[in-house]
Amino acid sequence: MVKFTDDKLAKAKEIIARYPMGKHKSALLPLLHLAQENFGGWLSVEAMDYVAEILNIEAIEVYEVATFYSMYNLKPVGKFIFEVCQTGPCMLNGSDNIIDYIKQKLNIGVGETTADGLFTLKTVECLGACGYAPIMQFGKNYREHLTKERVDQLIEECRNNAATNN
Amino acid sequence: MGIKLLLDKAHVEGIRFYDAYRREGGYRSVEKALKMSPNDIVEEVKKSGLRGRGGAGFPTGMKWSFLAKPEGVPRYLVCNADESEPGTFKDRYLMEFLPHLLIEGLIVSSFALGSNRTYIYIRGEYAWIVDILEHAIAEAKANGFLGTNILGSGFDCEIYVHRGAGAYICGEETALLESLEGKRGNPRIKPPFPAIKGLWDSPTVVNNVETLMAIVPIMNMGAEEYAKIGVGKSTGTKLISACGNINKAGVYEIDMTISVEEFIYSDEYCGGIPNGKKLKACIPGGSSVPILPANLLLKTAKGETRYMNYESLADGGFATGSMMGSGGFIVLDEDQCVVRHTYTLARFYRHESCGQCSPCREGTGWMEKILLSLEKGKGKMSDIDLLWDIQRKIEGNTICPLGDAAAWPVAAAIRHFRDEFEWHVLNPEESQTRNFGLAHYADPIHVPTV
């Protein structure tokens, strides 16, 4: 059963109050972020229906938005997501090699998740950190100036994190 | 050292927080502005000559004066922090290190425009900056600069951060408003312009982060002094985010009187090209603006020095010039392949097209496929003309400028680097093992003089 905890529900209400009366649909993008963070990193149909219910809008209004924006995951993802930028400035600084290296190291393709459910690899378009290329989005932050060594360290870090938290 | 108006305090310890920011003279412009009439502030901004820093370069004061003011209808100011143009990362830097400068600029601007509810629409990927901004807003509110009856002036204002979710198109102001209303980011047909019918059908002004920050020095020093900085219609300072093949990538504030050559080669700025490589080409204003080969970048077609300002970068039109755009300065050295680079940009625009207009939806995908096949040595000579033809049919035929933004990089790449495209067709195998390198269009004899 998909449902926010009481404190998340309070957060949702606080977000809705940022918009004038009757304009609560504006809270849709922030609420989808909240849902994705709290329901396993992706948006199931059930999660989207739940957001529609909170905002008292039609489910289709949620689906059409969730499918438009690239940050919403519409299928299950790994515990850790590597979103590697591949646009011009990152390409000039070797992002192609970084993507190939991660593919080979984790033995997955772009858009795939490792069998242990730990890692998902995604390619993304410009993250707005071109001066620190090549880069990836990792959770709430960016990892910049990527090298093969830094990718190795990050994978190690994730594995340790998963081992400690299990 | 050039004049710095926005970044002058960027390295002060603790400047991200209210106490240090206030100690360094922060929020003085709010105290000054609230004693003025809103119309006088708009006049000051007009006099300053400030032009929108998001890319289009439209005069800010004029944009503000278009705002409709019907009785009893709320007006809104929305800050466009959806920075997504490849090569551009100045707003991220500004918000991350100087969040209070944005809040200060927003309070003054909200007062001038009569916005009691102001929104910062920030790209979803800048998730950690949302926290930084919300903290700054809370501090400003705790110190009486936000909320009801600010400094006893009778003016009420709240600022909210609204996080997007990954869509370049939402940097287009009407798509941004759609997104802020909780919808897909499909740009609206104009007119009506947002100044008449914007957020929730109310009169709305949308301005870029850097533009709104520039309001603070304009108020503090006065419009006349501000307008003395720079040259011609390029007044004040501009932030440039420099990236690609340069020694010192980063965000620089310039006063728009320095030459492109100085910007690339001097140690104060980019510090030259790494590993002794030669400069091949540059996209001076974000991925949408035309790429220029080194010779046309450093000097105009008339042989005059090219400067880092709106007029000089555009000298020669699209035939031999480019644009200041968003200030995303992308440098390519002699080892880079223009065909591959253009392909990644075409892929970007295909990915970011909202799909509303068929020339853009179909055209961007078509260009991407052709460019990929050319890059992989599988193209035909006629593909180059076909590419040219497709970009011509996208430009000007779409609701919003994304179509133009997708067409221009392809057009400029073919215009200036046609021989490199042809070389890929004529040498399908060789093109997979080495790059075309420099040719007649580049500047192989260039020796920096600075």
Side-chain angles (χ1 to χ4, degrees):
Chain A
M1 179 64 189
V2 162
K3 204 171 182 323
F4 283 136
T5 54
D6 287 349
D7 61 324
K8 295 300 170 202
L9 201 56
K11 177 76 187 165
K13 285 189 178 142
E14 185 258 303
I15 291 170
I16 293 168
R18 295 172 187 176
Y19 309 94
M21 287 290 277
K23 310 296 182 195
H24 53 274
K25 188 180 167 181
S26 283
L28 180 51
L29 268 67
L31 288 198
L32 286 175
H33 280 303
L34 194 66
Q36 182 160 290
E37 282 159 27
N38 286 279
F39 304 138
W42 70 292
L43 294 171
S44 62
V45 170
E46 209 186 356
M48 290 189 277
D49 290 349
Y50 177 60
V51 170
E53 191 189 309
I54 293 176
L55 288 174
N56 195 22
I57 57 178
E58 297 296 329
I60 184 68
E61 295 178 82
V62 180
Y63 305 159
E64 65 175 9
V65 162
T67 51
F68 184 84
Y69 296 93
S70 61
M71 289 183 77
Y72 299 127
N73 298 314
L74 300 175
K75 55 178 194 181
V77 288
K79 190 172 165 63
F80 305 102
I81 313 176
F82 294 168
E83 299 178 77
V84 189
C85 178
Q86 57 173 354
T87 315
C90 273
M91 186 279 285
L92 296 176
N93 285 289
S95 60
D96 292 348
N97 295 337
I98 296 293
I99 295 165
D100 286 344
Y101 183 69
I102 297 173
K103 278 187 193 166
Q104 170 227 319
K105 177 107 186 176
L106 296 176
N107 197 23
I108 49 172
V110 172
E112 293 176 1
T113 300
T114 51
D116 58 8
L118 274 189
F119 300 98
T120 298
L121 173 63
K122 282 170 81 175
T123 53
V124 292
E125 299 296 343
C126 194
L127 289 173
C130 320
Y132 324 107
I135 56 165
M136 70 158 88
Q137 177 144 38
F138 178 67
K140 209 172 173 177
N141 292 289
Y142 288 177
R143 294 292 173 119
E144 301 171 338
H145 298 296
L146 292 176
T147 56
K148 288 177 182 173
E149 292 71 34
R150 286 194 184 176
V151 168
D152 287 343
Q153 280 167 14
L154 180 59
I155 291 172
E156 190 66 22
E157 198 183 298
C158 293
R159 290 203 167 118
N160 289 340
N161 176 313
T164 341
N165 293 332
N166 271 341
Chain B
M1 283 296 278
I3 301 167
K4 295 201 178 0
L5 300 178
L6 303 186
L7 297 184
D8 54 342
K9 304 274 168 52
H11 296 290
V12 173
E13 174 94 23
I15 198 75
R16 188 185 277 176
F17 303 102
Y18 178 82
D19 290 343
Y21 184 76
R22 179 74 172 149
R23 200 166 53 235
E24 293 290 331
Y27 290 101
R28 271 185 303 141
S29 73
V30 176
E31 293 167 323
K32 190 172 171 184
L34 291 181
K35 292 183 190 129
M36 295 169 66
S37 84
N39 282 343
D40 288 346
I41 301 173
V42 175
E43 285 308 310
E44 276 294 286
V45 175
K46 270 192 190 168
K47 257 194 281 176
S48 74
L50 175 66
R51 295 168 67 171
R53 301 295 196 229
F58 190 81
T60 305
M62 202 184 289
K63 192 174 194 178
W64 284 16
S65 67
F66 293 156
L67 185 68
K69 292 173 182 163
E71 274 299 310
V73 178
R75 301 189 286 275
Y76 295 103
L77 170 63
V78 178
C79 170
N80 185 344
D82 191 55
E83 178 173 65
S84 311
E85 171 89 0
T88 316
F89 49 100
K90 64 186 177 70
D91 295 339
R92 167 199 162 167
Y93 183 92
L94 287 169
M95 292 187 288
E96 190 166 358
F97 295 99
L98 297 162
H100 279 286
L101 186 60
L102 177 60
I103 306 306
E104 182 175 356
L106 278 169
I107 299 168
V108 173
S109 308
S110 299
F111 176 68
L113 298 167
S115 169
N116 304 114
R117 246 178 218 271
T118 292
Y119 293 92
I120 301 172
Y121 184 101
I122 187 167
R123 68 177 296 178
E125 292 87 346
Y126 288 171
W128 75 100
I129 302 178
V130 173
D131 297 343
I132 294 172
L133 290 172
E134 286 183 339
H135 184 79
I137 290 167
E139 283 188 318
K141 197 168 176 174
N143 286 281
F145 286 101
L146 279 172
T148 49
N149 191 21
I150 298 168
L151 306 181
S153 65
F155 174 62
D156 305 340
C157 185
E158 296 288 349
I159 298 176
Y160 300 101
V161 184
H162 182 101
R163 190 175 157 215
Y168 168 74
I169 191 60
C170 293
E172 195 278 337
E173 61 180 12
T174 61
L176 184 152
L177 296 174
E178 286 288 299
S179 181
L180 186 46
E181 291 181 6
K183 302 177 204 157
R184 294 164 75 91
N186 288 348
R188 298 174 182 169
I189 292 172
K190 286 162 280 190
F193 287 92
I196 310 295
K197 203 172 169 189
L199 182 60
W200 303 306
D201 287 343
S202 290
T204 304
V205 165
V206 183
N207 283 141
N208 170 261
V209 170
E210 185 189 344
T211 311
L212 290 160
M213 286 188 173
I215 300 300
V216 175
I218 289 171
M219 292 305 296
N220 284 336
M221 68 201 294
E224 275 175 32
E225 287 303 308
Y226 184 87
K228 282 181 194 161
I229 301 165
V231 58
K233 288 183 179 165
S234 299
T235 62
T237 58
K238 174 83 189 89
L239 268 84
I240 305 290
S241 57
C243 61
N245 305 123
I246 46 173
N247 278 315
K248 290 163 60 189
V251 178
Y252 298 98
E253 185 169 11
I254 60 162
D255 67 9
M256 297 194 267
T257 59
I258 63 165
S259 69
V260 176
E261 180 174 328
E262 183 183 353
F263 185 70
I264 295 178
Y265 289 102
S266 87
D267 282 337
E268 192 182 338
Y269 301 105
C270 303
I273 318 288
N275 310 315
K277 301 278 184 193
K278 293 191 182 79
L279 172 67
K280 177 171 182 173
C282 172
I283 301 176
S287 64
S288 308
V289 311
I291 188 170
L292 287 177
N295 53 341
L296 284 175
L297 174 74
L298 301 175
K299 291 206 186 314
T300 66
K302 288 175 269 176
E304 290 163 356
T305 303
R306 204 185 279 283
Y307 291 93
M308 296 286 290
N309 62 51
Y310 291 96
E311 289 77 24
S312 188
L313 284 171
D315 189 292
F318 277 11
T320 58
S322 184
M323 276 172 80
M324 178 74 135
S326 61
F329 196 86
I330 310 169
V331 178
L332 281 71
D333 74 17
E334 60 186 292
D335 289 345
Q336 298 299 347
C337 171
V338 167
V339 180
R340 177 146 188 86
H341 189 252
T342 310
Y343 157 67
T344 72
L345 298 183
R347 182 181 59 203
F348 172 85
Y349 290 107
R350 187 266 303 155
H351 185 262
E352 302 301 340
S353 172
C354 80
Q356 230 185 161
C357 312
S358 42
C360 173
R361 182 186 62 236
E362 305 301 324
T364 52
W366 202 0
M367 291 198 300
E368 180 197 5
K369 281 182 195 151
I370 296 171
L371 279 161
L372 182 62
S373 97
L374 282 167
E375 201 266 323
K376 293 285 176 213
K378 291 176 182 153
K380 301 189 291 282
M381 222 36 129
S382 59
D383 285 343
I384 304 170
D385 294 323
L386 182 58
L387 262 183
W388 183 265
D389 205 35
I390 297 168
Q391 66 80 19
R392 281 279 302 250
K393 285 174 178 146
I394 300 174
E395 188 191 4
N397 290 324
T398 54
I399 289 173
C400 87
L402 192 139
D404 300 347
W408 294 344
V410 174
I414 298 174
R415 185 182 301 123
H416 299 300
F417 298 89
R418 190 174 181 110
D419 45 2
E420 188 162 342
F421 284 83
E422 290 175 353
W423 180 78
H424 272 76
V425 175
L426 296 172
N427 303 280
E429 279 161 28
E430 195 184 354
S431 70
Q432 301 311 296
T433 54
R434 75 170 186 92
N435 281 333
F436 185 62
L438 293 170
H440 66 272
Y441 50 77
D443 187 19
I445 53 163
H446 175 73
V447 179
T449 55
V450 285

